Amino acid sequence: MKKKLVSLFVSAVMVCSLAGCGTSSDGAAGNASASSGNNAAQSNVTENNAQAETTPTPTQTDGDTYTIGICQLVQHDALDAATQGFKDALIEELGEDKVHFEEQNAQGDSNTCSTIVNSFVSGGVDLILANATPALQAASAGTNEIPILGTSVTEYGVALDLDDFNGTVGGNISGTSDLAPLDGQADMLQEIFPDAKTVGLLYCSAEANSQYQVDTVKGFLEEKGYECKYYAFSDSNDLSAVTTTASNEVDVIYVPTDNTVANNTEIVYNICVPAGVPVVAGEEGICKGCAVATLSISYYDLGVATGKMAAKVLTGESNISEMPIEYAPNFTKKYNPAICEELGITIPDGYEAVETE
């Protein structure tokens, strides 16, 4: 908890210390390596669970302002919407004069997430929003005291390497999940492409939640008689080559809620559309850029739900160690009219058109 004067001082220090990191720059505290992120996250969560009853809860008195550190992995439609929903909800719940946001973007780099989180910890923020899995992993490794809320995270047990995850992380971590029903996505793919034989699963192997999604959807698709093939890329540098290989070998490509693809949809579009290979996406942002259809959630609404959770944590209404992960309540079938027209694909009734610029 900080008084307004102290908060302004902390903000000034953070702006200086973050020069060159994300949107504002490089953190003063040390870097945690990406390769140690998962192990550190597991160790931190274990310690968090042991300290669940002693996790400090911020409280507010009149005239005080909360400082919220926001670490977003990368800029794209889905994550941007989640961050905006979070901010809007928290302002509505507490008042615009009661919250100050320190918002940083890691530009897709896990190491930068660690740098950002470390700067938040050294600056003494009151709560951290970790937007996307690598941001959550970095936050978990960076502190077991400051409350952390994740959003745009598919499966918290996978993200934090928890063997006994039962819906509540414990310690100083909770949040919201962007997991859409993977069986429903398999049903949708079959509904649109009943005559397809092979499905390519295109995903970034560095994103644990992408691996989880393709492994899970593969089982549902195989039950429907499809042959599934994995097409994993390590980062955006080999996305083009892997996508080209997939487009030459399969009838349909499935992409989960993968942050690397979401940030590089033009690459996928420029390969798959000329090849005549349709893409089915795990979320609306990817659908807008390169896919024909999706079964998706509203990331803005997901951010709103996370902001409401944050208000309860900050005011002491709820203990974060006891807050279960929340999920999106609604899912919508959507399609991309322009790409469908280019590929000559007729979408069944019951789908809404995505809004594209």
Side-chain angles (χ1 to χ4, degrees), residues 154-343:
T154 303
E155 219 289 332
Y156 282 72
V158 172
L160 298 174
D161 197 21
L162 304 175
D163 294 330
D164 57 350
F165 177 66
N166 61 1
T168 301
V169 176
N172 64 323
I173 298 175
S174 189
T176 56
S177 168
D178 63 356
L179 181 62
L182 296 174
D183 56 346
Q185 292 185 358
D187 290 342
M188 182 188 65
L189 189 149
Q190 184 183 43
E191 182 179 39
I192 302 173
F193 304 107
D195 298 326
K197 303 299 181 185
T198 56
V199 178
L201 307 174
L202 180 67
Y203 68 102
C204 180
S205 58
E207 296 187 34
N209 277 313
S210 292
Q211 182 75 61
Y212 168 80
Q213 289 175 81
V214 295
D215 286 344
T216 304
V217 81
K218 177 176 181 284
F220 293 127
L221 290 170
E222 288 179 340
E223 289 177 0
K224 297 177 181 299
Y226 293 102
E227 178 187 358
C228 296
K229 298 181 179 181
Y230 287 112
Y231 293 92
F233 56 92
S234 58
D235 54 37
S236 59
N237 294 323
D238 61 344
L239 174 59
S240 178
V242 173
T243 303
T244 298
T245 299
S247 67
N248 289 329
E249 297 178 351
V250 302
D251 300 319
V252 182
I253 290 175
Y254 170 81
V255 178
T257 56
D258 187 282
N259 290 297
T260 307
V261 174
N263 202 39
N264 295 276
T265 56
E266 186 175 0
I267 293 175
V268 178
Y269 172 86
N270 287 337
I271 294 170
C272 291
V273 171
V277 178
V279 175
V280 171
E283 60 94 6
E284 185 173 345
I286 297 175
C287 186
K288 288 181 180 180
C290 65
V292 297
T294 183
L295 176 64
S296 187
I297 66 170
S298 166
Y299 277 82
Y300 180 84
D301 290 347
L302 196 70
V304 168
T306 316
K308 291 180 178 180
M309 294 175 74
K312 291 178 181 179
V313 171
L314 291 168
T315 59
E317 181 180 342
S318 296
N319 184 337
I320 193 168
S321 67
E322 299 172 353
M323 299 177 79
I325 301 303
E326 295 188 13
Y327 295 82
N330 300 310
F331 308 96
T332 305
K333 290 181 178 180
K334 295 192 174 185
Y335 76 106
N336 187 319
I339 295 179
C340 286
E341 183 177 355
E342 288 184 85
L343 296 176

Side-chain angles (χ1 to χ4, degrees), residues 125-174:
V125 300
D126 296 297
L127 184 142
I128 294 173
L129 174 71
N131 193 345
T133 298
L136 176 68
Q137 292 169 335
S140 176
T143 178
N144 60 8
E145 295 182 354
I146 298 173
I148 299 166
L149 288 174
T151 193
S152 311
V153 175
T154 303
E155 219 289 332
Y156 282 72
V158 172
L160 298 174
D161 197 21
L162 304 175
D163 294 330
D164 57 350
F165 177 66
N166 61 1
T168 301
V169 176
N172 64 323
I173 298 175
S174 189

Side-chain angles (χ1 to χ4, degrees), residues 5-197:
L5 182 60
V6 175
S7 178
L8 290 173
F9 174 75
V10 171
S11 301
V13 172
M14 290 178 67
V15 168
C16 294
S17 67
L18 284 173
C21 171
T23 55
S24 302
S25 76
D26 205 13
N31 280 321
S33 70
S35 61
S36 63
N38 285 341
N39 291 336
Q42 168 65 51
S43 174
N44 187 62
V45 170
T46 300
E47 185 175 356
N48 288 343
N49 288 332
Q51 296 181 357
E53 294 184 357
T54 60
T55 300
T57 302
T59 56
Q60 185 183 34
T61 58
D62 290 343
D64 290 342
T65 300
Y66 296 118
T67 299
I68 314 300
I70 299 176
C71 178
Q72 181 174 317
L73 173 64
V74 69
Q75 183 177 7
H76 65 68
D77 287 349
L79 301 191
D80 292 349
T83 293
Q84 191 61 54
F86 173 83
K87 293 165 63 177
D88 288 350
L90 199 50
I91 289 172
E92 182 176 352
E93 293 289 323
L94 300 181
E96 188 171 5
D97 61 335
K98 299 298 184 182
V99 289
H100 172 72
F101 298 105
E102 294 291 342
E103 187 174 347
Q104 297 294 325
N105 192 300
Q107 305 299 327
D109 184 21
S110 298
N111 286 331
T112 303
C113 286
S114 297
T115 302
I116 292 170
V117 167
N118 288 335
S119 72
F120 289 160
V121 173
S122 64
V125 300
D126 296 297
L127 184 142
I128 294 173
L129 174 71
N131 193 345
T133 298
L136 176 68
Q137 292 169 335
S140 176
T143 178
N144 60 8
E145 295 182 354
I146 298 173
I148 299 166
L149 288 174
T151 193
S152 311
V153 175
T154 303
E155 219 289 332
Y156 282 72
V158 172
L160 298 174
D161 197 21
L162 304 175
D163 294 330
D164 57 350
F165 177 66
N166 61 1
T168 301
V169 176
N172 64 323
I173 298 175
S174 189
T176 56
S177 168
D178 63 356
L179 181 62
L182 296 174
D183 56 346
Q185 292 185 358
D187 290 342
M188 182 188 65
L189 189 149
Q190 184 183 43
E191 182 179 39
I192 302 173
F193 304 107
D195 298 326
K197 303 299 181 185

